[in-house]
Coordinates of all heavy atoms in Angstrom, one line a residue:
M1 N 86.7 103.7 84.7 CA 86.9 103.5 86.1 C 88.3 103.0 86.4 O 88.8 102.2 85.7 CB 85.9 102.4 86.6 CG 86.0 102.1 88.0 SD 84.8 100.9 88.6 CE 84.1 101.9 89.9
K2 N 88.9 103.6 87.4 CA 90.3 103.3 87.7 C 90.4 101.9 88.3 O 89.5 101.4 88.9 CB 90.8 104.3 88.7 CG 91.0 105.7 88.1 CD 91.6 106.6 89.2 CE 91.8 108.0 88.6 NZ 93.1 108.3 88.2
N3 N 91.6 101.3 88.2 CA 91.9 100.1 88.8 C 92.5 100.4 90.2 O 93.7 100.4 90.5 CB 93.0 99.3 88.0 CG 93.2 97.9 88.5 OD1 93.0 97.7 89.7 ND2 93.7 97.0 87.7
F4 N 91.6 100.5 91.2 CA 91.9 100.9 92.5 C 92.7 99.8 93.2 O 93.5 100.1 94.1 CB 90.7 101.3 93.4 CG 90.1 102.6 92.9 CD1 88.9 102.6 92.2 CD2 90.7 103.8 93.1 CE1 88.3 103.8 91.7 CE2 90.2 105.0 92.6 CZ 89.0 105.0 92.0
K5 N 92.5 98.6 92.9 CA 93.2 97.4 93.5 C 94.7 97.5 93.1 O 95.6 97.3 94.0 CB 92.6 96.1 93.1 CG 91.2 95.9 93.7 CD 90.6 94.6 93.2 CE 89.2 94.4 93.8 NZ 88.6 93.2 93.3
L6 N 95.0 97.8 91.9 CA 96.4 98.0 91.4 C 97.0 99.2 92.1 O 98.1 99.1 92.6 CB 96.4 98.1 89.9 CG 97.8 98.3 89.3 CD1 98.8 97.2 89.7 CD2 97.7 98.4 87.8
I7 N 96.3 100.3 92.2 CA 96.8 101.5 92.8 C 97.1 101.2 94.2 O 98.2 101.6 94.7 CB 95.8 102.7 92.6 CG1 95.7 103.0 91.1 CG2 96.3 103.9 93.4 CD1 94.5 103.9 90.9
E8 N 96.2 100.6 95.0 CA 96.4 100.4 96.4 C 97.6 99.4 96.6 O 98.4 99.6 97.5 CB 95.1 99.8 97.0 CG 94.2 100.7 97.8 CD 94.9 101.8 98.6 OE1 95.6 101.4 99.6 OE2 94.7 102.9 98.3
A9 N 97.6 98.3 95.8 CA 98.7 97.4 96.0 C 100.1 98.0 95.8 O 101.0 97.7 96.5 CB 98.5 96.2 95.0
R10 N 100.2 98.9 94.8 CA 101.4 99.6 94.5 C 101.8 100.5 95.6 O 102.9 100.5 96.1 CB 101.3 100.4 93.2 CG 102.5 101.2 92.9 CD 102.4 102.0 91.6 NE 101.2 102.8 91.5 CZ 101.1 104.0 92.1 NH1 102.1 104.5 92.9 NH2 100.0 104.8 92.0
K11 N 100.8 101.2 96.2 CA 101.1 102.1 97.3 C 101.4 101.4 98.6 O 102.3 101.8 99.3 CB 99.9 103.0 97.5 CG 99.8 104.1 96.4 CD 98.6 105.0 96.6 CE 98.5 106.0 95.5 NZ 97.3 107.0 95.7
E12 N 100.8 100.2 98.8 CA 101.1 99.4 100.0 C 102.6 99.0 100.0 O 103.2 98.8 101.0 CB 100.3 98.1 100.0 CG 98.9 98.4 100.5 CD 98.0 97.1 100.4 OE1 98.6 96.0 100.2 OE2 96.8 97.2 100.6
K13 N 103.2 98.8 98.8 CA 104.6 98.4 98.6 C 105.5 99.7 98.7 O 106.7 99.5 98.5 CB 104.8 97.6 97.3 CG 104.3 96.2 97.4 CD 105.2 95.4 98.3 CE 104.7 94.0 98.2 NZ 105.5 93.1 99.1
G14 N 104.9 100.9 98.8 CA 105.6 102.1 98.8 C 106.3 102.4 97.5 O 107.4 103.1 97.4
M15 N 105.7 102.0 96.4 CA 106.2 102.2 95.1 C 105.5 103.3 94.3 O 104.3 103.4 94.4 CB 106.1 100.9 94.2 CG 106.9 99.8 94.8 SD 106.8 98.3 93.8 CE 108.1 98.7 92.6
T16 N 106.2 104.1 93.6 CA 105.6 105.1 92.7 C 105.4 104.4 91.3 O 105.9 103.3 91.1 CB 106.6 106.2 92.4 OG1 107.8 105.7 91.8 CG2 107.0 107.0 93.7
Q17 N 104.6 105.0 90.5 CA 104.4 104.4 89.1 C 105.7 104.3 88.4 O 106.0 103.3 87.7 CB 103.5 105.4 88.3 CG 102.0 105.3 88.8 CD 101.2 106.3 88.0 OE1 101.7 107.2 87.3 NE2 99.9 106.0 88.0
E18 N 106.6 105.3 88.6 CA 107.9 105.3 87.9 C 108.7 104.1 88.4 O 109.4 103.4 87.6 CB 108.6 106.6 88.3 CG 110.0 106.7 87.6 CD 109.9 107.4 86.3 OE1 109.0 108.2 86.1 OE2 110.8 107.2 85.4
K19 N 108.7 103.8 89.7 CA 109.5 102.7 90.3 C 109.0 101.4 89.8 O 109.8 100.5 89.4 CB 109.5 102.8 91.8 CG 110.5 101.8 92.5 CD 110.5 102.1 94.0 CE 111.5 101.2 94.6 NZ 111.6 101.4 96.1
L20 N 107.7 101.2 89.8 CA 107.1 99.9 89.3 C 107.5 99.8 87.8 O 107.9 98.7 87.4 CB 105.6 99.9 89.5 CG 104.9 98.7 89.0 CD1 105.5 97.4 89.6 CD2 103.4 98.8 89.2
A21 N 107.4 100.8 87.0 CA 107.7 100.7 85.6 C 109.2 100.3 85.4 O 109.5 99.5 84.6 CB 107.5 102.1 85.0
K22 N 110.1 100.9 86.2 CA 111.5 100.5 86.1 C 111.7 99.0 86.4 O 112.5 98.4 85.8 CB 112.4 101.4 86.9 CG 112.4 102.8 86.3 CD 113.5 103.7 86.8 CE 113.4 105.1 86.2 NZ 114.2 105.3 85.1
Y23 N 111.1 98.5 87.5 CA 111.2 97.1 87.9 C 110.7 96.2 86.7 O 111.3 95.1 86.5 CB 110.3 96.8 89.1 CG 111.0 96.9 90.4 CD1 110.7 98.0 91.2 CD2 111.9 96.0 90.8 CE1 111.3 98.1 92.5 CE2 112.5 96.1 92.1 CZ 112.2 97.2 92.9 OH 112.8 97.3 94.1
L24 N 109.8 96.7 85.9 CA 109.3 95.9 84.8 C 110.0 96.1 83.5 O 109.7 95.5 82.5 CB 107.8 96.3 84.6 CG 106.8 96.0 85.7 CD1 105.5 96.7 85.5 CD2 106.7 94.5 85.8
G25 N 111.0 97.0 83.5 CA 111.8 97.3 82.4 C 111.3 98.4 81.4 O 111.8 98.5 80.3
Y26 N 110.3 99.1 81.9 CA 109.8 100.2 81.1 C 110.6 101.5 81.3 O 111.1 101.7 82.4 CB 108.3 100.5 81.4 CG 107.4 99.4 80.9 CD1 107.2 98.2 81.7 CD2 106.7 99.6 79.7 CE1 106.3 97.3 81.2 CE2 105.8 98.6 79.3 CZ 105.7 97.4 80.0 OH 104.8 96.5 79.6
K27 N 110.7 102.4 80.4 CA 111.5 103.6 80.5 C 110.8 104.6 81.4 O 111.4 105.4 82.1 CB 111.8 104.2 79.1 CG 112.8 103.3 78.4 CD 113.1 104.0 77.0 CE 114.0 103.1 76.3 NZ 114.4 103.6 75.0
G28 N 109.5 104.7 81.3 CA 108.7 105.7 82.0 C 107.5 105.1 82.6 O 107.2 103.9 82.5
K29 N 106.7 106.0 83.3 CA 105.6 105.5 84.1 C 104.3 105.4 83.3 O 103.3 105.0 83.8 CB 105.4 106.4 85.3 CG 105.0 107.8 84.9 CD 104.7 108.7 86.1 CE 104.3 110.1 85.7 NZ 103.9 110.9 86.8
Q30 N 104.3 105.8 82.0 CA 103.1 105.9 81.2 C 102.3 104.6 81.1 O 101.1 104.6 81.3 CB 103.4 106.4 79.8 CG 102.1 106.8 79.0 CD 101.4 107.9 79.7 OE1 101.9 108.9 80.1 NE2 100.1 107.7 79.9
S31 N 102.9 103.5 81.0 CA 102.2 102.2 80.9 C 101.5 101.9 82.2 O 100.4 101.5 82.2 CB 103.2 101.1 80.5 OG 103.6 101.2 79.2
V32 N 102.2 102.1 83.3 CA 101.6 101.9 84.6 C 100.4 102.8 84.8 O 99.4 102.4 85.3 CB 102.7 102.1 85.8 CG1 102.0 102.0 87.1 CG2 103.8 101.1 85.6
A33 N 100.6 104.1 84.5 CA 99.4 105.0 84.6 C 98.3 104.6 83.7 O 97.1 104.6 84.1 CB 99.9 106.4 84.1
N34 N 98.5 104.1 82.5 CA 97.5 103.6 81.6 C 96.8 102.4 82.2 O 95.5 102.2 82.1 CB 98.0 103.2 80.2 CG 98.3 104.5 79.4 OD1 97.7 105.5 79.6 ND2 99.2 104.4 78.5
W35 N 97.5 101.5 82.8 CA 96.9 100.3 83.5 C 96.0 100.7 84.7 O 94.9 100.2 84.9 CB 97.9 99.3 84.0 CG 98.8 98.8 82.9 CD1 98.5 98.6 81.6 CD2 100.2 98.4 83.0 NE1 99.6 98.1 80.9 CE2 100.7 98.0 81.8 CE3 101.1 98.4 84.1 CZ2 102.0 97.6 81.6 CZ3 102.4 98.0 83.9 CH2 102.8 97.6 82.6
E36 N 96.5 101.7 85.5 CA 95.8 102.1 86.6 C 94.5 102.9 86.2 O 93.5 102.9 87.0 CB 96.7 103.0 87.5 CG 97.8 102.2 88.2 CD 98.6 103.0 89.2 OE1 98.5 104.2 89.3 OE2 99.5 102.4 89.9
N37 N 94.6 103.5 85.1 CA 93.4 104.3 84.6 C 92.5 103.5 83.7 O 91.5 104.0 83.2 CB 93.9 105.6 83.9 CG 94.4 106.6 84.9 OD1 93.8 106.9 85.9 ND2 95.6 107.1 84.6
N38 N 92.8 102.2 83.6 CA 92.1 101.3 82.7 C 92.0 101.7 81.3 O 91.0 101.4 80.6 CB 90.7 101.0 83.3 CG 90.8 99.8 84.3 OD1 91.6 98.9 84.2 ND2 89.9 99.9 85.3
H39 N 93.0 102.4 80.8 CA 93.0 102.8 79.3 C 93.5 101.6 78.5 O 93.0 101.4 77.4 CB 94.0 103.9 79.1 CG 93.5 105.2 79.7 ND1 92.3 105.8 79.4 CD2 94.2 106.0 80.6 CE1 92.2 106.9 80.1 NE2 93.3 107.1 80.8
I40 N 94.4 100.8 79.1 CA 94.8 99.5 78.4 C 95.1 98.5 79.5 O 95.1 98.8 80.7 CB 96.1 99.7 77.6 CG1 97.3 100.2 78.5 CG2 95.9 100.6 76.4 CD1 98.6 100.2 77.8
S41 N 95.2 97.2 79.1 CA 95.5 96.2 80.1 C 97.0 95.7 79.8 O 97.4 95.7 78.6 CB 94.6 95.0 79.9 OG 93.3 95.4 80.1
P42 N 97.7 95.2 80.8 CA 99.0 94.7 80.6 C 99.0 93.4 79.9 O 98.0 92.6 80.0 CB 99.6 94.6 82.0 CG 98.4 94.3 82.8 CD 97.3 95.1 82.2
P43 N 100.1 93.0 79.1 CA 100.2 91.7 78.6 C 100.3 90.7 79.7 O 100.7 91.1 80.8 CB 101.5 91.7 77.8 CG 101.9 93.2 77.7 CD 101.2 93.9 78.7
L44 N 99.9 89.5 79.5 CA 99.9 88.4 80.5 C 101.2 88.3 81.2 O 101.3 88.3 82.5 CB 99.5 87.1 79.9 CG 99.4 85.9 80.9 CD1 98.5 86.2 82.1 CD2 99.0 84.6 80.2
N45 N 102.3 88.2 80.5 CA 103.6 88.1 81.2 C 103.9 89.3 82.1 O 104.5 89.1 83.2 CB 104.7 87.8 80.2 CG 104.9 89.0 79.2 OD1 104.0 89.8 78.9 ND2 106.1 89.1 78.6
T46 N 103.5 90.5 81.7 CA 103.8 91.6 82.5 C 102.8 91.6 83.7 O 103.3 91.9 84.9 CB 103.5 92.9 81.7 OG1 104.4 92.9 80.6 CG2 103.8 94.2 82.6
A47 N 101.6 91.2 83.5 CA 100.7 91.1 84.7 C 101.2 90.1 85.7 O 101.0 90.4 86.9 CB 99.3 90.7 84.2
I48 N 101.7 89.0 85.3 CA 102.3 88.0 86.2 C 103.4 88.7 87.0 O 103.5 88.5 88.2 CB 102.8 86.8 85.4 CG1 101.6 86.0 84.9 CG2 103.6 85.9 86.3 CD1 101.9 84.9 83.9
R49 N 104.3 89.4 86.3 CA 105.4 90.1 87.0 C 104.9 91.1 88.0 O 105.4 91.2 89.1 CB 106.4 90.7 86.0 CG 107.1 89.7 85.2 CD 108.5 89.9 84.8 NE 109.3 90.6 85.7 CZ 110.0 91.7 85.5 NH1 110.0 92.3 84.3 NH2 110.7 92.3 86.4
I50 N 103.9 91.9 87.6 CA 103.3 92.8 88.6 C 102.8 92.1 89.8 O 103.0 92.6 90.9 CB 102.2 93.7 87.9 CG1 102.8 94.5 86.8 CG2 101.5 94.5 88.9 CD1 101.8 95.1 85.8
S51 N 102.1 91.1 89.6 CA 101.5 90.3 90.7 C 102.6 89.8 91.6 O 102.5 89.9 92.8 CB 100.8 89.1 90.1 OG 100.4 88.2 91.1
Q52 N 103.7 89.3 91.1 CA 104.8 88.9 91.9 C 105.5 90.0 92.7 O 105.8 89.9 93.8 CB 105.9 88.2 91.0 CG 105.4 86.9 90.4 CD 106.3 86.3 89.3 OE1 107.1 87.0 88.7 NE2 106.1 85.0 89.1
I53 N 105.7 91.1 92.0 CA 106.3 92.3 92.6 C 105.5 92.8 93.8 O 106.0 93.2 94.8 CB 106.6 93.4 91.6 CG1 107.7 92.9 90.6 CG2 107.0 94.7 92.2 CD1 107.8 93.8 89.4
L54 N 104.2 92.9 93.5 CA 103.3 93.5 94.5 C 102.8 92.5 95.5 O 102.1 92.9 96.5 CB 102.1 94.2 93.8 CG 102.5 95.4 92.8 CD1 101.2 96.0 92.2 CD2 103.3 96.4 93.6
G55 N 103.0 91.2 95.3 CA 102.6 90.2 96.2 C 101.1 90.0 96.3 O 100.5 89.7 97.4
K56 N 100.4 90.2 95.2 CA 99.0 90.0 95.1 C 98.6 89.1 94.0 O 99.3 88.9 93.0 CB 98.3 91.4 94.8 CG 98.5 92.5 95.8 CD 97.7 92.2 97.1 CE 97.9 93.3 98.1 NZ 97.2 93.1 99.3
D57 N 97.5 88.4 94.1 CA 97.0 87.5 93.1 C 96.7 88.3 91.8 O 96.1 89.3 91.9 CB 95.8 86.8 93.6 CG 95.3 85.7 92.7 OD1 95.9 84.6 92.7 OD2 94.4 86.0 91.9
I58 N 97.0 87.7 90.7 CA 96.8 88.3 89.4 C 95.4 88.6 89.1 O 95.0 89.7 88.6 CB 97.5 87.5 88.3 CG1 97.5 88.3 87.0 CG2 96.8 86.2 88.1 CD1 98.4 87.7 85.9
S59 N 94.5 87.7 89.5 CA 93.1 87.9 89.3 C 92.5 89.0 90.2 O 91.6 89.7 89.9 CB 92.3 86.6 89.4 OG 92.4 86.1 90.7
F60 N 93.1 89.1 91.4 CA 92.7 90.2 92.3 C 93.1 91.6 91.7 O 92.3 92.5 91.7 CB 93.4 90.1 93.6 CG 93.3 91.3 94.5 CD1 92.1 91.4 95.3 CD2 94.2 92.2 94.7 CE1 91.9 92.5 96.1 CE2 94.1 93.4 95.5 CZ 92.9 93.5 96.2
L61 N 94.2 91.7 91.1 CA 94.7 92.9 90.5 C 94.0 93.3 89.2 O 93.7 94.5 89.0 CB 96.2 92.9 90.3 CG 97.1 92.9 91.5 CD1 98.6 92.7 91.1 CD2 96.9 94.1 92.3
F62 N 93.8 92.3 88.3 CA 93.3 92.6 87.0 C 92.0 92.0 86.6 O 91.5 92.3 85.5 CB 94.4 92.3 86.0 CG 95.7 93.0 86.2 CD1 96.8 92.3 86.7 CD2 95.8 94.3 85.8 CE1 98.0 93.0 86.9 CE2 97.0 95.0 86.1 CZ 98.1 94.3 86.6
G63 N 91.5 91.0 87.4 CA 90.3 90.3 87.0 C 90.5 89.7 85.6 O 91.4 89.0 85.4
E64 N 89.6 89.9 84.7 CA 89.6 89.3 83.4 C 90.3 90.2 82.4 O 90.4 89.9 81.2 CB 88.2 89.0 82.9 CG 87.5 88.0 83.8 CD 86.1 87.8 83.3 OE1 85.6 88.3 82.3 OE2 85.3 87.1 84.1
Y65 N 90.8 91.4 82.8 CA 91.4 92.4 81.9 C 92.9 92.3 81.7 O 93.6 93.1 82.1 CB 91.0 93.7 82.3 CG 89.5 93.9 82.5 CD1 88.8 93.8 83.7 CD2 88.7 94.0 81.3 CE1 87.5 93.9 83.8 CE2 87.3 94.1 81.4 CZ 86.7 94.0 82.7 OH 85.3 94.1 82.8
I66 N 93.3 91.2 81.1 CA 94.7 91.0 80.8 C 94.8 90.6 79.3 O 94.1 89.7 78.9 CB 95.3 89.9 81.7 CG1 95.1 90.2 83.1 CG2 96.8 89.7 81.4 CD1 95.5 89.1 84.1
Q67 N 95.8 91.1 78.6 CA 96.0 90.7 77.2 C 96.8 89.4 77.2 O 97.7 89.2 78.0 CB 96.9 91.8 76.5 CG 96.3 93.1 76.4 CD 97.3 94.1 75.8 OE1 98.2 93.7 75.1 NE2 97.2 95.4 76.1
E68 N 96.4 88.5 76.3 CA 97.2 87.3 76.2 C 98.6 87.6 75.7 O 99.6 87.1 76.2 CB 96.5 86.3 75.3 CG 95.2 85.7 76.0 CD 94.6 84.6 75.1 OE1 95.4 83.8 74.5 OE2 93.4 84.5 75.1
T69 N 98.7 88.3 74.6 CA 99.9 88.7 74.0 C 99.7 90.0 73.3 O 98.6 90.4 73.1 CB 100.5 87.7 73.0 OG1 99.5 87.6 71.9 CG2 100.7 86.3 73.6
H70 N 100.8 90.6 72.9 CA 100.7 91.9 72.1 C 100.2 91.5 70.7 O 99.5 92.3 70.1 CB 102.0 92.6 72.0 CG 102.3 93.4 73.2 ND1 101.6 94.5 73.6 CD2 103.3 93.2 74.2 CE1 102.1 95.0 74.7 NE2 103.1 94.2 75.1
T71 N 100.7 90.4 70.1 CA 100.3 90.0 68.8 C 100.0 88.5 68.9 O 100.6 87.8 69.7 CB 101.4 90.3 67.8 OG1 102.6 89.6 68.1 CG2 101.7 91.7 67.6
K72 N 99.2 88.1 68.0 CA 98.9 86.6 67.9 C 100.0 86.0 67.1 O 100.4 86.4 66.0 CB 97.6 86.4 67.2 CG 96.4 86.9 67.9 CD 96.1 86.0 69.1 CE 94.8 86.4 69.8 NZ 94.6 85.7 71.0
E73 N 100.6 84.9 67.7 CA 101.7 84.2 67.0 C 101.2 83.1 66.3 O 100.2 82.4 66.7 CB 102.7 83.8 68.1 CG 103.5 84.9 68.8 CD 104.5 84.4 69.8 OE1 104.8 83.2 69.8 OE2 104.9 85.2 70.6
G74 N 101.8 82.8 65.2 CA 101.5 81.6 64.4 C 100.1 81.7 63.6 O 99.6 80.6 63.2
S75 N 99.6 82.8 63.5 CA 98.3 82.9 62.8 C 98.6 83.0 61.3 O 99.6 83.7 60.9 CB 97.5 84.1 63.3 OG 98.2 85.3 63.1
A76 N 97.8 82.4 60.5 CA 98.0 82.4 59.1 C 97.5 83.7 58.5 O 96.5 84.3 59.0 CB 97.2 81.2 58.4
I77 N 98.1 84.2 57.5 CA 97.7 85.4 56.8 C 96.9 85.1 55.6 O 97.2 84.2 54.9 CB 98.9 86.3 56.5 CG1 99.6 86.7 57.8 CG2 98.5 87.5 55.7 CD1 100.8 87.5 57.6

């Protein structure tokens, strides 16, 4: 199921997937497309930036579907 809240919020700001990706420092729109299609969730720091850029609450945009980090830091091997 698509993340319609994220899609609507992006469109309300008049942004394309490409433009949002560039604001976030990504080279292309693929990550944004993946988040909107719920293939993956953004890392927490990226979700916070998206929330700020789009002017929407992070829990409104993503609910519980946010990665804490890409990798666990400080974990023993």
